[in-house]
Amino acid sequence: MASRNPARPLSPHLTIWRWGPHMLVSILHRATGDGLATVGTLLFVWWLAALAGGAESYATFVDTFTTDTGKLNILGWIVGVGLTLSLFQHMMTGIRHFFLDIGAGYELRTNKTWAMMTMVGAVVLSIGYWLYMGMN
Amino acid sequence: MGSGTQLGRVRGLGSAKEGAHHWLWQRFTAASNLFLMLWLLIAVARQPAYDYASMRLWVQSAWVAVPMLLLIASVFYHFRLGLQVLIEDYTHNESRVVSMLALNLFVLVTAGIAIFSILKIAFGAAA
């Protein structure tokens, strides 16, 4: 592949456009997806491997994210809330993409509304999930 | 095929007939991810306890081990396609090739460990 000629003009990018919810959720979809794919994957695989490895390795995993009383520590909260928010945001924007894929929801107002609703949905579902976990 | 320009060399050959493959499988796996992740979220939330013995017993069940394996196949395929797009957008030339190889290595190693762990628990090898 020939290298790109730096003298050629670039298409307008983030610094040119006025920001709107559709841009934000598009970037959030990528950022949360990549976060889940890297941090999420490593944690999930660590949890599975620790569980398969035995009581000792599982204790190491649990102790990393909890205090002696069994409650989540600071790291546990950051990782836990970060992952649930990311997962629900990616899930909501993913569902939005299914609608966009069939050609629906491109009208300016509709698009803006549902872009914002994905963020509202992600926050509400995350809070709901943690409240349920807390009551359990 | 001559040694002309890049465009000249491919002109007239038609499409490679796989342009939609990546796009389609990202959607197929997105749909299966939706169901499998909702199952995982609900199943985890409904667990009475999260200690070692309870979790082992839970994953040992075929009703958990099988969906968990399907989830790994679906989610890992999906995030491999997603990270590929990230790499294609931001890296070029040699670094793109290296990044893609590193991505495949990451996916295969993590998937291998995850699948082995589930099977080890499910088939009841003494911990």
Side-chain angles (χ1 to χ4, degrees):
Chain A
M1 285 289 265
S3 293
R4 189 166 49 80
N5 178 357
R8 293 183 64 180
L10 292 168
S11 59
H13 204 43
L14 295 180
T15 47
I16 302 291
W17 305 108
R18 188 162 59 83
W19 275 78
H22 57 295
M23 284 170 73
L24 180 59
V25 294
S26 173
I27 290 165
L28 276 177
H29 190 70
R30 168 163 286 194
T32 53
D34 294 334
L36 291 165
T38 50
V39 180
T41 297
L42 289 173
L43 270 174
F44 182 61
V45 172
W46 180 18
W47 174 71
L48 276 173
L51 189 62
E56 217 170 286
S57 59
Y58 192 69
T60 308
F61 176 84
V62 173
D63 288 347
T64 308
F65 302 104
T66 55
T67 62
D68 292 339
T69 56
K71 300 262 181 229
L72 285 177
N73 62 21
I74 296 167
L75 184 65
W77 275 111
I78 293 172
V79 171
V81 171
L83 282 181
T84 41
L85 259 180
S86 297
L87 180 65
F88 285 122
Q89 180 64 49
H90 196 76
M91 193 183 275
M92 293 303 108
T93 36
I95 292 167
R96 175 174 175 266
H97 273 288
F98 279 139
F99 284 97
L100 296 176
D101 285 344
I102 58 166
Y106 283 92
E107 300 80 5
L108 290 182
R109 283 183 70 105
T110 316
N111 196 284
K112 187 178 181 180
T113 305
W114 286 106
M116 288 194 292
M117 285 308 284
T118 64
M119 291 183 281
V120 174
V123 171
V124 168
L125 282 168
S126 298
I127 293 171
Y129 194 75
W130 284 94
L131 283 178
Y132 184 84
M133 291 288 275
M135 288 187 304
N136 207 352
Chain B
M1 230 173 286
S3 53
T5 62
Q6 290 178 5
L7 181 63
R9 268 182 277 153
V10 297
R11 198 169 255 165
L13 294 176
S15 89
K17 301 280 189 263
E18 55 179 44
H21 181 265
H22 181 287
W23 189 92
L24 268 177
W25 276 93
Q26 200 161 39
R27 269 69 187 174
F28 291 154
T29 51
S32 48
N33 281 356
L34 182 60
F35 291 105
L36 289 162
M37 286 309 296
L38 282 175
W39 162 76
L40 184 69
L41 284 168
I42 294 168
V44 166
R46 288 175 58 85
Q47 286 307 297
Y50 301 98
D51 60 286
Y52 174 68
S54 315
M55 283 289 111
R56 279 291 288 219
L57 210 62
W58 182 62
V59 177
Q60 230 164 34
S61 158
W63 294 100
V64 176
V66 173
M68 199 83 98
L69 288 168
L70 294 175
L71 182 143
I72 284 164
S74 176
V75 170
F76 281 49
Y77 193 176
H78 184 81
F79 87 60
R80 194 224 160 271
L81 294 174
L83 286 179
Q84 180 187 340
V85 176
L86 181 79
I87 290 168
E88 287 169 347
D89 279 356
Y90 299 118
T91 66
H92 306 283
N93 306 326
E94 293 88 353
S95 66
R96 176 183 289 185
V97 177
V98 174
S99 304
M100 288 298 288
L101 285 171
L103 169 62
N104 284 335
L105 186 71
F106 176 70
V107 175
L108 290 173
V109 169
T110 49
I113 296 170
I115 291 166
F116 175 78
S117 300
I118 294 170
L119 292 179
K120 187 179 180 222
I121 297 167
F123 293 146

